[in-house]
Amino acid sequence: MLVLGLVLLPIIAGALFFALPDASNGRTSKLLGALVGLVTVVMTIGGANQEWAFRWLARPFTASFHFADSGISFWIALLLALCTTCAILATNLPRQRSFIALMLMLEGAMMGVFLARDLLAFALFWDLMLIPVFFVLISWGEHAGTAWRYFIYNFAGGLTLLLATAAFGVLYGSTDVIGHGNVHLVGAWVPWIFAGFAFAFLVKTPVWPLHTWMPITYSDTPAPMVAVVSAVQSKAGLYGLIVIGMAFMPDYVKEYAPIFVILGVISLLYGAFTALVQNDTKRIVAYSSLSHLGLIVLAIVSFNPLALQGAVVYIIAHGLFSAALFLTIGYVEEREETRSLVRLGGLGAANPRLAGALCIAALAALGLPGLAGFVGEIVILTGIFQAGMVWPAIVALIPIVLAAAYMLRLFQGMMNGPEVADLPVRRDLTWIEGIALAPLLLALVLVGVNPHAITSFDPSLYGTSVTTQGGAR
Amino acid sequence: MNITVTNADWAAIAPLSIVAATALVVLFTDLLARTHVKRYIAIVLGLVGVVVSAVVCAQGYGHDYAAFGGGFVLGGFSVVFQEIILLAAFGSIALYGAIGKEERIAGAVALMLWSTSGAMLMAGAANLMTVFLGLELLSLALYCLCGLADRPTSRESALKYLILSSTASGFLLYGMALLFGASGSVSFAQFTNAALASNPLFWMGTALFLIGLAFKLSLVPFHTWSPDVYEGAPMPVTAFMSVATKAGTLAVFARFIYAALPSGIAEKLLLPVWIIAGISMIVGNVGMLAQHDLKRLLAYSGIAQVGYILTALAGATPLGMRYAIYYLAAYTFMNLGAFAIAALLSTDAEEGSRLTNYRGLGHRRPIVAALMSLFLLALAGLPPTAGFLGKILILSTSVNAGYAWLGVLLIIGTAISLYAYAKVIRVMYDRDEHIHPHDAKPFVPLAWVSAVACGVLVVVITFYPLTPSNVLPLVK
């Protein structure tokens, strides 16, 4: 029941938020929302390794509302609950009540995606998680076109996912399969089914050339929501690739691995080089995400247990530091009414706490040893190398060096240098804003020094035991 | 053939007789009632008649019986379709109560009830005579209903519907004549004779018969009437047409393709039908993109939605029938719900049909806007609504029956439609709050109840997907 509650509580709480009187805008709804978020954090930990299932369909294939809070799902759910709580605490927007209601609904929908053990439920929540973001984009976004770009791209992916799920169900007879190690699809249809899933996952991640919705979405969405979207929603594609693609169709993943490798490498390089020249701080982080997630795609399709473990650690790490980065940038934007590096500068002297927070997040993003990002990167690189993909491993080093360049450029552009005269002078981080960031930064250190807890899942469930030599081409 | 009519035969058509009789009662009480209560009496009587009929109708579930020598077949299939039609009638009469004109309300309710009984007759019709009787009863009442509003477009709507629908009836009748000529019988049960498979008359007859039905279902290329007729007709009538006409015609269509074709030729004979279903999904959804009127939007949406339902029927599998019924029920809820919201925002002038009036609705009337968003998301096939589950059931049955290409067209059509539905949502939640159109009515109880009930049902049947198992066989 606790697991079901994880999905339902935020959605119901979100719906109830709309019923709150308008007078309770602002701080009350923020604290109430954060309280709900905190409850989901506790529930995620308390409900570890619990399951809940309810039969949904008996025909044309069996499907259940089956959720489990275990393995990779547990860590991503924890990340989600944590990020949502922090992001809600950091929210400071007009029509706050409605925004927080949508944040909670987004959390519930994404809980559904990551905890689902049934493909049909996965598909349902996959589409559901796009709706709150769409609503936020049309009500709070900066440009009308962004909502469309986001909506059309992601729902196109959602629809191919739906068709693939239906075909999967018909072929296999059941969709209650996620987490089962012994489901292998064969037949003439399977490449098409795989293509349907893969398209959805690659759009969602995203990888080049399907990424064009991403930078504008990330820069237009208010910071608290983009923190959750980039930290967790973008992981849905990678998560799907691991628990669906790798687990059920390893032969096809392997067959098409070169395509994934090429797209991953292009994303890596393209993201990193673009991040280097952007002036919009949100876009720098957006393009850096493109680059980092490209690395994870590379890790997943290398079919190496070590790389897969690294990928999962990096999924968590990237979630933590991108959420922290977006929240900090949100704070700066709120204070200085701009997020352009051309306008910003010299904020560090007057805002030491803000500068410190951004510094930790940026250092984690560029892979400083001791923080979470480093562990992920080093394990992934070792794994890819072990799998025999020497050249991709070497190429992947370039963006890691570049990461240092663009992250330091981001930090210095905002915090260092002479103070800019015409920037408004505002107070440093308030305690509530600090509390919103602290758990993320603390978690970065914890994961950095002790990643073993996260890697304790069984990589052989996800096709990697089939061969550790895979990808040696 | 001699037909002895027994009491059981009369009992079989009791639900639709009740509806037709209620219409008479409504008209007579209208003569006697005082002016200021006329409206309430007509609406309440109409609703009571529909509910009684629905209760009586439900008793028939599980009793297979061929009444009137096989002309009307009572069974799970007819009961389910009749209940859906009654649901549409209930919702539409409730909407009439919300926005209809005082002096015409009794007539409108009576006509709507007769139209309902015609559609209900089609739901059980198992020979050509009954089909035509039901169809004409349905249509004749609708011609009058379409012209009831005080607008030139309403008269245009009635005339257009009359002329085009009569043409379609001509096709239908000609097809029936050929079918009769080929088989020597008007009964669906006789059409399964294997000798007919090679008879060109039978092929011609089937083609013309299906063209007639395709017109009523507004499938491409016989769809051009529906946006104009929907736009001009009074809103409750549009709501009724968009569900009841389609349900009645789909019942005939399904019975025909499942039970009235010689074995072995169905796949070849019906291929054009599936092709136009596929084209309808694309054209209907593309047509939605340019609309600025909710009724026109929903007309094009309906063209595509019928395509989805036909996709479920492709291959004529038993499961496909159940999912078609599921989707039809879901479509009924979401469509009626959308019309109920539009009625909530309307007076006689039907402000609720112009999409510009929805601008900023989300800020002025959050609950109304949220419900409308739910119905639009359902029509688009997004969770957490029955539209989502319906689509996945249809997709899986189309893959199963070997019509995966229809599933792919469905996906493409849905992708196109997303933009059209989401555009309305965007307008409602637009940040531009400068325009404050007057919302006609703050509170209309019946329309509210319909909207909320549809909203709840559209979500609930996603998680408890009840599909009727007792719908075959279709002819005796």
Coordinates of all heavy atoms in Angstrom, one line a residue, chain A residues 54 56-57 59-61 65 95 120 123-124 127-128 131 134-135 138-144 148 151-152 155-156 159-160 162-163 165-167 170 189, chain B residues 319 322-323 363 373 377 382-384 388-389 391-393 395-396 399-400 404 407-408 411 414-415 418-419 422-423 425-426 429 431 433 462-465:
Chain A
F54 N -2.4 -4.8 -8.6 CA -3.9 -4.9 -8.8 C -4.1 -5.2 -10.2 O -3.7 -4.5 -11.1 CB -4.4 -3.5 -8.4 CG -5.9 -3.3 -8.7 CD1 -6.9 -3.9 -7.9 CD2 -6.3 -2.6 -9.8 CE1 -8.2 -3.8 -8.2 CE2 -7.6 -2.4 -10.1 CZ -8.6 -3.0 -9.3
W56 N -5.5 -5.3 -13.7 CA -6.2 -4.2 -14.5 C -6.9 -4.8 -15.7 O -8.1 -4.6 -15.9 CB -5.1 -3.2 -14.9 CG -5.5 -2.0 -15.6 CD1 -6.8 -1.6 -15.8 CD2 -4.7 -1.1 -16.3 NE1 -6.8 -0.4 -16.5 CE2 -5.5 -0.1 -16.8 CE3 -3.3 -1.0 -16.5 CZ2 -5.1 1.0 -17.5 CZ3 -2.8 0.1 -17.3 CH2 -3.7 1.1 -17.7
L57 N -6.2 -5.6 -16.5 CA -6.8 -6.1 -17.7 C -6.5 -7.6 -17.7 O -5.5 -8.1 -17.3 CB -6.2 -5.6 -19.0 CG -6.4 -4.1 -19.3 CD1 -5.6 -3.8 -20.6 CD2 -7.8 -3.8 -19.5
R59 N -7.7 -9.3 -20.7 CA -7.6 -9.5 -22.1 C -7.4 -8.1 -22.7 O -7.8 -7.1 -22.1 CB -9.0 -10.0 -22.7 CG -9.1 -11.5 -22.7 CD -10.5 -11.9 -23.1 NE -11.4 -11.3 -22.1 CZ -11.8 -11.9 -21.0 NH1 -11.4 -13.1 -20.7 NH2 -12.7 -11.3 -20.1
P60 N -6.8 -8.0 -23.8 CA -6.2 -9.0 -24.7 C -4.8 -9.5 -24.2 O -4.3 -10.4 -24.8 CB -6.0 -8.2 -26.0 CG -5.8 -6.8 -25.6 CD -6.6 -6.6 -24.4
F61 N -4.3 -8.9 -23.2 CA -3.1 -9.4 -22.5 C -3.3 -9.1 -21.1 O -4.1 -8.1 -20.7 CB -1.8 -8.8 -23.1 CG -1.9 -7.4 -23.3 CD1 -1.7 -6.5 -22.3 CD2 -2.0 -6.8 -24.6 CE1 -1.7 -5.1 -22.5 CE2 -2.1 -5.5 -24.8 CZ -1.9 -4.6 -23.7
F65 N -1.8 -2.9 -12.4 CA -1.2 -1.8 -11.7 C -0.2 -2.4 -10.7 O -0.6 -2.7 -9.6 CB -2.2 -0.9 -11.1 CG -2.9 0.0 -12.0 CD1 -4.2 -0.3 -12.4 CD2 -2.3 1.0 -12.6 CE1 -4.9 0.4 -13.3 CE2 -2.9 1.8 -13.5 CZ -4.2 1.5 -13.9
R95 N 0.9 33.0 -8.8 CA 0.0 31.8 -8.8 C 0.7 30.6 -8.2 O 0.7 29.5 -8.8 CB -0.5 31.6 -10.2 CG -1.3 32.8 -10.7 CD -2.1 32.4 -11.9 NE -1.3 31.8 -13.0 CZ -0.6 32.5 -13.8 NH1 -0.5 33.8 -13.7 NH2 0.1 31.9 -14.8
L120 N 2.2 -1.5 -19.4 CA 1.1 -0.6 -19.7 C 1.0 0.5 -18.7 O 0.7 1.7 -19.1 CB -0.2 -1.5 -19.7 CG -1.4 -0.8 -20.3 CD1 -1.1 -0.3 -21.7 CD2 -2.5 -1.8 -20.4
A123 N 3.5 3.0 -19.5 CA 3.1 3.9 -20.7 C 2.1 4.9 -20.2 O 2.2 6.0 -20.6 CB 2.5 3.0 -21.8
L124 N 1.2 4.5 -19.3 CA 0.2 5.4 -18.9 C 0.8 6.6 -18.1 O 0.6 7.7 -18.4 CB -0.8 4.7 -17.9 CG -2.0 5.5 -17.4 CD1 -3.2 4.6 -17.3 CD2 -1.8 6.2 -16.1
D127 N 2.9 9.1 -20.3 CA 2.1 10.2 -20.9 C 1.6 11.2 -19.9 O 1.6 12.4 -20.1 CB 0.9 9.6 -21.7 CG 1.3 9.0 -23.1 OD1 2.5 9.2 -23.4 OD2 0.5 8.4 -23.7
L128 N 1.3 10.6 -18.7 CA 0.7 11.5 -17.7 C 1.7 12.5 -17.2 O 1.4 13.6 -16.9 CB 0.2 10.6 -16.5 CG -0.7 11.3 -15.5 CD1 -1.9 11.8 -16.2 CD2 -1.0 10.3 -14.4
I131 N 1.9 15.9 -19.0 CA 0.8 16.9 -18.9 C 1.1 18.1 -17.9 O 0.9 19.2 -18.3 CB -0.5 16.2 -18.6 CG1 -0.8 15.2 -19.8 CG2 -1.7 17.1 -18.4 CD1 -2.0 14.3 -19.5
F134 N 3.4 20.5 -19.5 CA 2.7 21.2 -20.6 C 1.9 22.4 -20.0 O 1.9 23.5 -20.4 CB 1.8 20.3 -21.4 CG 1.0 21.0 -22.4 CD1 1.6 21.6 -23.6 CD2 -0.4 21.2 -22.3 CE1 0.8 22.2 -24.5 CE2 -1.2 21.8 -23.2 CZ -0.5 22.4 -24.3
F135 N 1.2 22.1 -18.9 CA 0.4 23.1 -18.2 C 1.2 24.2 -17.7 O 0.9 25.4 -17.8 CB -0.5 22.5 -17.1 CG -1.8 22.0 -17.6 CD1 -2.0 20.7 -18.0 CD2 -2.9 22.8 -17.7 CE1 -3.2 20.2 -18.5 CE2 -4.1 22.4 -18.1 CZ -4.3 21.1 -18.6
I138 N 2.4 26.4 -20.6 CA 1.5 27.4 -21.2 C 1.1 28.5 -20.2 O 0.7 29.5 -20.6 CB 0.2 26.7 -21.8 CG1 -0.5 25.9 -20.7 CG2 0.5 25.8 -23.0 CD1 -1.8 25.3 -21.2
S139 N 1.2 28.2 -18.9 CA 0.8 29.2 -18.0 C 2.0 30.1 -17.5 O 1.8 31.2 -17.1 CB 0.1 28.6 -16.8 OG -1.1 28.0 -17.2
W140 N 3.2 29.5 -17.4 CA 4.3 30.2 -16.8 C 5.5 30.4 -17.8 O 6.4 31.0 -17.5 CB 4.8 29.5 -15.5 CG 4.0 29.7 -14.3 CD1 4.1 30.7 -13.4 CD2 2.9 28.9 -13.9 NE1 3.1 30.5 -12.4 CE2 2.4 29.4 -12.7 CE3 2.3 27.7 -14.4 CZ2 1.3 28.9 -12.0 CZ3 1.2 27.2 -13.7 CH2 0.8 27.7 -12.5
G141 N 5.4 29.7 -18.9 CA 6.5 29.7 -19.8 C 6.7 31.0 -20.5 O 5.9 31.9 -20.4
E142 N 7.9 31.2 -21.1 CA 8.2 32.5 -21.6 C 7.7 32.7 -23.1 O 7.3 33.8 -23.5 CB 9.7 32.8 -21.6 CG 10.2 33.0 -20.1 CD 11.7 32.9 -20.0 OE1 12.4 33.1 -20.9 OE2 12.1 32.6 -18.8
H143 N 7.7 31.6 -23.8 CA 7.3 31.7 -25.2 C 6.2 30.7 -25.5 O 6.3 29.5 -25.0 CB 8.5 31.5 -26.2 CG 9.6 32.4 -26.0 ND1 10.7 32.0 -25.3 CD2 9.8 33.7 -26.3 CE1 11.5 33.1 -25.2 NE2 11.0 34.1 -25.8
A144 N 5.2 31.0 -26.3 CA 4.1 30.1 -26.6 C 4.6 28.9 -27.3 O 4.2 27.8 -27.1 CB 3.1 30.8 -27.4
W148 N 4.5 23.9 -27.3 CA 4.2 23.0 -28.5 C 5.4 22.1 -28.8 O 5.2 20.9 -29.0 CB 3.8 23.8 -29.7 CG 2.6 24.6 -29.5 CD1 2.4 25.9 -29.6 CD2 1.3 24.0 -29.1 NE1 1.1 26.2 -29.3 CE2 0.4 25.1 -29.0 CE3 0.9 22.7 -28.8 CZ2 -0.9 24.9 -28.6 CZ3 -0.4 22.5 -28.4 CH2 -1.3 23.6 -28.3
F151 N 5.5 19.4 -26.2 CA 4.3 18.6 -26.3 C 4.4 17.6 -27.5 O 4.2 16.4 -27.3 CB 3.1 19.5 -26.4 CG 1.8 18.8 -26.1 CD1 1.5 18.3 -24.8 CD2 0.8 18.7 -27.1 CE1 0.3 17.8 -24.6 CE2 -0.4 18.1 -26.8 CZ -0.7 17.7 -25.6
I152 N 4.6 18.2 -28.6 CA 4.6 17.4 -29.9 C 5.7 16.4 -29.8 O 5.5 15.2 -30.1 CB 4.7 18.3 -31.1 CG1 3.6 19.4 -31.1 CG2 4.7 17.5 -32.4 CD1 2.2 18.9 -31.4
F155 N 5.0 13.7 -26.9 CA 3.9 12.9 -27.1 C 4.0 12.0 -28.4 O 3.5 10.9 -28.4 CB 2.6 13.7 -27.2 CG 2.0 13.9 -25.9 CD1 2.0 15.2 -25.3 CD2 1.6 12.8 -25.1 CE1 1.5 15.4 -24.0 CE2 1.1 13.1 -23.8 CZ 1.0 14.3 -23.3
A156 N 4.8 12.5 -29.4 CA 5.1 11.6 -30.5 C 5.8 10.4 -29.9 O 5.5 9.2 -30.3 CB 5.9 12.3 -31.5
L159 N 3.4 8.1 -28.1 CA 2.5 7.3 -28.9 C 3.2 6.1 -29.5 O 2.7 5.0 -29.5 CB 2.0 8.2 -30.0 CG 0.9 9.2 -29.6 CD1 0.6 10.2 -30.7 CD2 -0.4 8.5 -29.1
T160 N 4.5 6.3 -29.9 CA 5.2 5.1 -30.4 C 5.4 4.1 -29.2 O 5.3 2.9 -29.4 CB 6.5 5.4 -31.0 OG1 7.4 6.1 -30.0 CG2 6.4 6.4 -32.2
L162 N 3.3 3.7 -26.9 CA 2.0 3.1 -26.7 C 1.8 1.9 -27.7 O 1.4 0.8 -27.3 CB 0.9 4.1 -26.9 CG -0.4 3.9 -26.3 CD1 -0.3 3.8 -24.8 CD2 -1.4 5.0 -26.7
L163 N 2.1 2.2 -28.9 CA 2.0 1.2 -30.0 C 2.9 0.0 -29.7 O 2.5 -1.2 -29.8 CB 2.3 1.8 -31.4 CG 2.0 0.9 -32.6 CD1 0.6 0.5 -32.6 CD2 2.4 1.7 -33.9
T165 N 4.0 -0.9 -26.8 CA 3.5 -1.6 -25.6 C 2.4 -2.6 -26.0 O 2.3 -3.7 -25.6 CB 3.0 -0.6 -24.6 OG1 4.1 0.3 -24.3 CG2 2.6 -1.3 -23.3
A166 N 1.4 -2.0 -26.9 CA 0.3 -2.9 -27.3 C 0.9 -4.1 -28.0 O 0.4 -5.2 -27.8 CB -0.6 -2.1 -28.2
A167 N 1.8 -3.9 -28.9 CA 2.4 -5.0 -29.7 C 3.1 -6.0 -28.8 O 3.0 -7.2 -28.9 CB 3.3 -4.5 -30.8
V170 N 0.5 -8.1 -27.0 CA -0.1 -9.1 -27.8 C 0.9 -10.2 -28.1 O 0.5 -11.4 -28.0 CB -0.6 -8.5 -29.2 CG1 -0.9 -9.5 -30.2 CG2 -1.7 -7.5 -28.9
W189 N 8.3 -9.2 -35.5 CA 7.8 -7.9 -35.1 C 8.8 -7.1 -34.1 O 8.7 -5.9 -34.0 CB 6.5 -8.0 -34.4 CG 5.4 -8.2 -35.3 CD1 4.8 -9.4 -35.6 CD2 4.7 -7.3 -36.1 NE1 3.8 -9.3 -36.5 CE2 3.7 -7.9 -36.9 CE3 4.8 -5.9 -36.3 CZ2 2.9 -7.3 -37.7 CZ3 4.0 -5.2 -37.1 CH2 3.0 -5.9 -37.9
Chain B
L319 N -13.1 -10.0 -29.5 CA -12.6 -9.0 -28.6 C -12.7 -7.6 -29.2 O -12.9 -6.6 -28.5 CB -11.1 -9.3 -28.3 CG -10.8 -10.2 -27.1 CD1 -9.3 -10.4 -27.0 CD2 -11.4 -9.7 -25.8
R322 N -15.8 -6.0 -28.3 CA -15.9 -5.5 -27.0 C -15.2 -4.2 -26.8 O -15.6 -3.3 -26.1 CB -15.3 -6.6 -26.0 CG -16.2 -7.8 -25.9 CD -15.6 -8.9 -25.2 NE -15.3 -8.5 -23.8 CZ -14.8 -9.4 -22.9 NH1 -14.7 -10.7 -23.2 NH2 -14.6 -9.0 -21.7
Y323 N -14.0 -4.1 -27.5 CA -13.3 -2.9 -27.3 C -13.9 -1.7 -28.0 O -13.8 -0.6 -27.6 CB -11.8 -3.1 -27.8 CG -11.1 -4.1 -26.9 CD1 -10.2 -4.9 -27.4 CD2 -11.6 -4.3 -25.6 CE1 -9.6 -5.9 -26.7 CE2 -11.0 -5.3 -24.9 CZ -10.0 -6.1 -25.4 OH -9.5 -7.1 -24.6
H363 N -8.5 30.8 -15.5 CA -8.3 31.7 -14.4 C -9.6 32.2 -13.8 O -9.7 32.5 -12.6 CB -7.5 32.9 -14.8 CG -6.2 32.5 -15.5 ND1 -5.2 31.8 -14.8 CD2 -5.7 32.6 -16.8 CE1 -4.2 31.6 -15.6 NE2 -4.5 32.1 -16.8
S373 N -10.5 20.4 -19.8 CA -9.2 19.9 -20.1 C -9.2 18.4 -20.1 O -8.7 17.7 -20.9 CB -8.1 20.4 -19.2 OG -8.2 21.8 -19.1
L377 N -8.3 16.0 -23.1 CA -7.3 15.0 -23.0 C -7.8 13.6 -23.3 O -7.1 12.8 -23.9 CB -6.7 15.0 -21.6 CG -5.9 16.3 -21.2 CD1 -5.4 16.2 -19.8 CD2 -4.7 16.5 -22.1
L382 N -5.2 10.7 -23.9 CA -4.1 10.7 -23.0 C -4.6 10.3 -21.6 O -5.8 10.4 -21.3 CB -3.7 12.2 -22.8 CG -3.1 12.8 -24.1 CD1 -2.7 14.2 -23.9 CD2 -1.9 12.0 -24.5
P383 N -3.7 9.7 -20.8 CA -4.1 9.3 -19.4 C -4.4 10.6 -18.6 O -3.9 11.6 -18.9 CB -2.9 8.6 -18.9 CG -1.7 9.2 -19.7 CD -2.3 9.6 -21.0
P384 N -5.1 10.5 -17.5 CA -5.6 9.2 -16.9 C -7.1 9.0 -17.3 O -8.0 8.9 -16.5 CB -5.6 9.5 -15.4 CG -5.9 11.0 -15.3 CD -5.4 11.6 -16.6
F388 N -7.3 6.9 -23.2 CA -6.0 6.3 -23.3 C -6.1 4.8 -23.3 O -5.6 4.1 -24.2 CB -5.2 6.7 -22.0 CG -3.9 6.0 -21.9 CD1 -2.8 6.4 -22.6 CD2 -3.8 4.9 -21.0 CE1 -1.6 5.7 -22.4 CE2 -2.6 4.2 -20.9 CZ -1.5 4.6 -21.6
L389 N -6.9 4.2 -22.4 CA -7.1 2.8 -22.3 C -7.7 2.3 -23.6 O -7.4 1.2 -24.2 CB -7.8 2.3 -21.1 CG -7.9 0.8 -20.9 CD1 -6.5 0.3 -20.7 CD2 -8.8 0.5 -19.8
K391 N -7.6 3.5 -26.5 CA -6.7 3.5 -27.7 C -5.8 2.3 -27.6 O -5.5 1.6 -28.6 CB -5.9 4.7 -27.7 CG -6.6 5.9 -28.2 CD -5.9 6.6 -29.3 CE -6.9 7.7 -29.9 NZ -6.8 9.0 -29.2
I392 N -5.3 2.0 -26.4 CA -4.4 0.8 -26.3 C -5.1 -0.5 -26.6 O -4.5 -1.4 -27.2 CB -3.6 0.8 -25.0 CG1 -2.3 0.0 -25.1 CG2 -4.4 0.3 -23.8 CD1 -1.2 0.6 -24.5
L393 N -6.3 -0.6 -26.1 CA -7.1 -1.8 -26.4 C -7.3 -1.9 -27.9 O -7.2 -3.0 -28.5 CB -8.4 -1.8 -25.7 CG -8.4 -1.9 -24.2 CD1 -9.7 -1.7 -23.6 CD2 -7.8 -3.2 -23.8
L395 N -5.5 -0.6 -30.3 CA -4.2 -0.9 -30.9 C -3.9 -2.4 -30.8 O -3.4 -3.0 -31.8 CB -3.1 -0.1 -30.2 CG -3.0 1.4 -30.6 CD1 -1.9 2.1 -29.8 CD2 -2.6 1.6 -32.1
S396 N -4.1 -2.9 -29.6 CA -3.7 -4.3 -29.5 C -4.6 -5.2 -30.3 O -4.1 -6.2 -30.9 CB -3.7 -4.7 -28.0 OG -4.9 -4.4 -27.4
V399 N -3.5 -5.0 -33.9 CA -2.2 -5.8 -34.1 C -2.6 -7.3 -34.2 O -2.1 -8.0 -35.0 CB -1.2 -5.5 -33.0 CG1 0.0 -6.5 -33.1 CG2 -0.7 -4.1 -33.1
N400 N -3.4 -7.7 -33.2 CA -3.8 -9.1 -33.1 C -4.6 -9.6 -34.4 O -4.4 -10.7 -34.8 CB -4.8 -9.2 -31.9 CG -4.4 -10.5 -31.1 OD1 -3.6 -11.3 -31.6 ND2 -5.1 -10.6 -30.0
A404 N -2.3 -4.1 -38.3 CA -1.4 -3.2 -37.6 C -1.2 -1.9 -38.4 O -1.0 -0.9 -37.8 CB 0.0 -3.9 -37.5
G407 N -3.5 0.5 -37.0 CA -2.9 0.9 -35.7 C -1.9 2.1 -35.9 O -1.9 3.1 -35.2
V408 N -1.1 1.9 -37.0 CA -0.1 2.9 -37.2 C -0.8 4.2 -37.7 O -0.4 5.3 -37.2 CB 0.9 2.5 -38.3 CG1 1.8 3.6 -38.8 CG2 1.7 1.3 -37.8
I411 N -2.1 6.0 -34.7 CA -1.1 6.7 -34.0 C -0.8 8.0 -34.7 O -0.7 9.1 -34.0 CB 0.2 5.8 -33.9 CG1 0.0 4.7 -32.9 CG2 1.4 6.7 -33.5 CD1 -0.2 5.1 -31.5
T414 N -3.6 10.4 -34.1 CA -3.7 10.9 -32.8 C -2.6 11.9 -32.6 O -2.9 13.0 -31.9 CB -3.4 9.7 -31.8 OG1 -4.3 8.7 -32.0 CG2 -3.5 10.2 -30.3
A415 N -1.4 11.7 -33.1 CA -0.4 12.7 -33.0 C -0.8 14.1 -33.6 O -0.5 15.1 -33.0 CB 0.9 12.2 -33.7
L418 N -3.4 15.8 -31.3 CA -2.9 16.3 -30.0 C -2.9 17.9 -30.1 O -3.2 18.6 -29.1 CB -1.5 15.8 -29.7 CG -1.5 14.4 -29.2 CD1 0.0 13.9 -29.1 CD2 -2.1 14.3 -27.8
Y419 N -2.4 18.3 -31.2 CA -2.2 19.8 -31.4 C -3.5 20.5 -31.3 O -3.7 21.5 -30.6 CB -1.5 20.1 -32.7 CG -1.3 21.5 -32.9 CD1 -0.2 22.2 -32.2 CD2 -2.1 22.3 -33.7 CE1 0.0 23.6 -32.4 CE2 -1.9 23.6 -33.9 CZ -0.9 24.3 -33.3 OH -0.7 25.6 -33.4
A422 N -4.9 20.3 -27.7 CA -4.1 21.0 -26.7 C -4.2 22.5 -27.0 O -4.0 23.3 -26.1 CB -2.6 20.6 -26.8
K423 N -4.5 22.9 -28.2 CA -4.7 24.3 -28.6 C -5.8 24.9 -27.7 O -5.7 26.0 -27.2 CB -5.0 24.4 -30.0 CG -4.7 25.8 -30.6 CD -4.8 25.8 -32.1 CE -6.3 25.7 -32.5 NZ -6.5 25.8 -34.0
I425 N -6.8 23.8 -24.8 CA -6.4 23.9 -23.4 C -5.5 25.1 -23.3 O -5.6 25.8 -22.3 CB -5.6 22.6 -23.1 CG1 -6.5 21.4 -23.2 CG2 -5.0 22.7 -21.7 CD1 -5.8 20.1 -22.8
R426 N -4.6 25.3 -24.2 CA -3.7 26.5 -24.1 C -4.5 27.8 -24.1 O -4.2 28.7 -23.3 CB -2.8 26.5 -25.3 CG -1.5 27.3 -25.1 CD -0.7 27.5 -26.3 NE -0.9 28.7 -27.0 CZ -0.6 29.9 -26.5 NH1 0.0 30.0 -25.4 NH2 -0.9 31.0 -27.2
Y429 N -5.8 28.4 -20.6 CA -4.9 28.7 -19.6 C -3.9 29.8 -20.0 O -2.9 30.0 -19.5 CB -4.1 27.5 -19.1 CG -5.0 26.5 -18.4 CD1 -5.6 25.5 -19.0 CD2 -5.2 26.7 -17.0 CE1 -6.5 24.6 -18.3 CE2 -6.1 25.9 -16.3 CZ -6.7 24.9 -17.0 OH -7.5 24.1 -16.3
R431 N -2.0 33.1 -20.5 CA -1.7 34.1 -19.5 C -2.3 35.5 -19.9 O -2.4 36.3 -19.1 CB -0.2 34.3 -19.4 CG 0.5 33.3 -18.5 CD 1.9 33.2 -18.8 NE 2.1 32.8 -20.2 CZ 3.1 33.1 -21.0 NH1 4.1 33.9 -20.4 NH2 3.2 32.7 -22.2
E433 N -4.8 37.8 -20.0 CA -6.1 37.9 -19.3 C -6.8 39.2 -19.6 O -7.7 39.6 -18.8 CB -5.8 37.8 -17.7 CG -5.3 36.4 -17.4 CD -5.0 36.3 -15.9 OE1 -5.8 36.6 -15.1 OE2 -3.9 35.9 -15.6
T462 N -11.3 3.9 -16.8 CA -10.0 3.6 -17.2 C -9.4 2.6 -16.2 O -8.6 1.7 -16.7 CB -9.1 4.9 -17.0 OG1 -9.8 6.0 -17.6 CG2 -7.8 4.7 -17.7
F463 N -9.8 2.6 -15.0 CA -9.1 1.7 -14.0 C -10.0 0.5 -13.7 O -9.5 -0.5 -13.3 CB -8.9 2.5 -12.7 CG -7.9 3.6 -13.0 CD1 -8.3 5.0 -13.1 CD2 -6.6 3.4 -13.2 CE1 -7.4 6.0 -13.3 CE2 -5.7 4.4 -13.5 CZ -6.1 5.7 -13.5
Y464 N -11.3 0.6 -14.0 CA -12.2 -0.6 -14.0 C -12.8 -0.8 -15.4 O -13.9 -0.4 -15.6 CB -13.3 -0.4 -13.0 CG -12.8 -0.4 -11.5 CD1 -12.5 0.7 -10.9 CD2 -12.5 -1.7 -10.9 CE1 -12.0 0.7 -9.6 CE2 -12.0 -1.7 -9.6 CZ -11.8 -0.5 -9.0 OH -11.3 -0.5 -7.7
P465 N -12.0 -1.3 -16.3 CA -12.5 -1.3 -17.7 C -13.5 -2.5 -17.8 O -13.1 -3.6 -18.0 CB -11.2 -1.6 -18.5 CG -10.3 -2.2 -17.6 CD -10.6 -1.8 -16.2

